[in-house]
Amino acid sequence: MSKLPHDDIKPFTGEGSKKEQVSEMFDRIAPRYDFMNRFLSVGIDRIWRRKAIRFFKKDKPIHLLDVATGTADMAIMAAKILSPAKITGIDISEGMLKIGRKKIEKENLGTKIVLSGGDGETINFPPDTFDGVMVAFGVRNFEHLEKGLQEILRVMKPGAQLVVVEFSKPRIPGVKGLYNFYMGVVAPQLAKWFNQNKKAYQYLNESAKAFPDRRHFVSILNKTGYSNTYYQSLSLGICCIYSARKPVAPNAY
Ligand code: SAM
């Protein structure tokens, strides 16, 4: 399993593995995470999430896994759109999960969505468990991207779909310049004004820049063993939805 340059992008310069630093950073920003998401994306993130969840419509999944569930935005939206019997959300930040659990309770979805502490790179479930897996803005934070993708593949049922939502780098010259200015200067500064961790938003920019997007990410999915890989670029290339399936073994039936 090869290490990718993005695996080494950490939130802080000090001690600690990427995983430790990422969970510490999200613990810190958790109370204002949802507000900052809506504010910095002008609400577009909800459109991206809805689009990604609709990828599962035809599959009618019964048990979904939301890896890096954070404050459970995807899990809650998926419960409403897809009505699966169960959604399991895992995350390495207890601070994010705490906010997510409160939201689930408020929405009366406690019987459907269960959140627990868990690492997407060593998923605590047996092989072939889930009918579908989603990861929104999570894979960019993995310490070992390929290991995480392998683990996800392991817990998917044959034929199940993985849907990933992640930032990508716009290529249209004017859009690219504006995006770089917004992500590199405006967003960290706004975060500072809102008393948020400026470093967290600098990390967002650096990790998004280093992340293998579009065809590169699709090639990693293929290499990991997924089939039917596909990506859809959104909002002039700022974001991408990726879809991939666990192959059904030829002698399975
Ligand atoms: N999916 C949520 C959303 O769409 O708002 C949260 C996204 S947030 C940008 C990234 C989340 O990934 C954080 O909550 C972080 O703790 C989590 N995370 C990072 N690495 C992880 C890992 N290896 N396993 C599980 N969660 C992880």
Side-chain angles (χ1 to χ4, degrees), residues 22 26 33 49 68-70 91-93 96 118-121 136-137 141:
V22 164
F26 280 103
Y33 174 81
R49 290 168 201 280
T69 189
D91 201 285
I92 52 169
S93 161
M96 295 286 273
D119 184 352
E121 293 171 38
F137 310 105
N141 298 293

Side-chain angles (χ1 to χ4, degrees), residues 6 18 22 25-26 137-143 203 207:
H6 122 276
K18 177 171 180 178
V22 164
M25 181 188 81
F26 280 103
F137 310 105
V139 287
R140 187 173 31 86
N141 298 293
F142 282 180
E143 191 166 59
Y203 163 75
S207 59

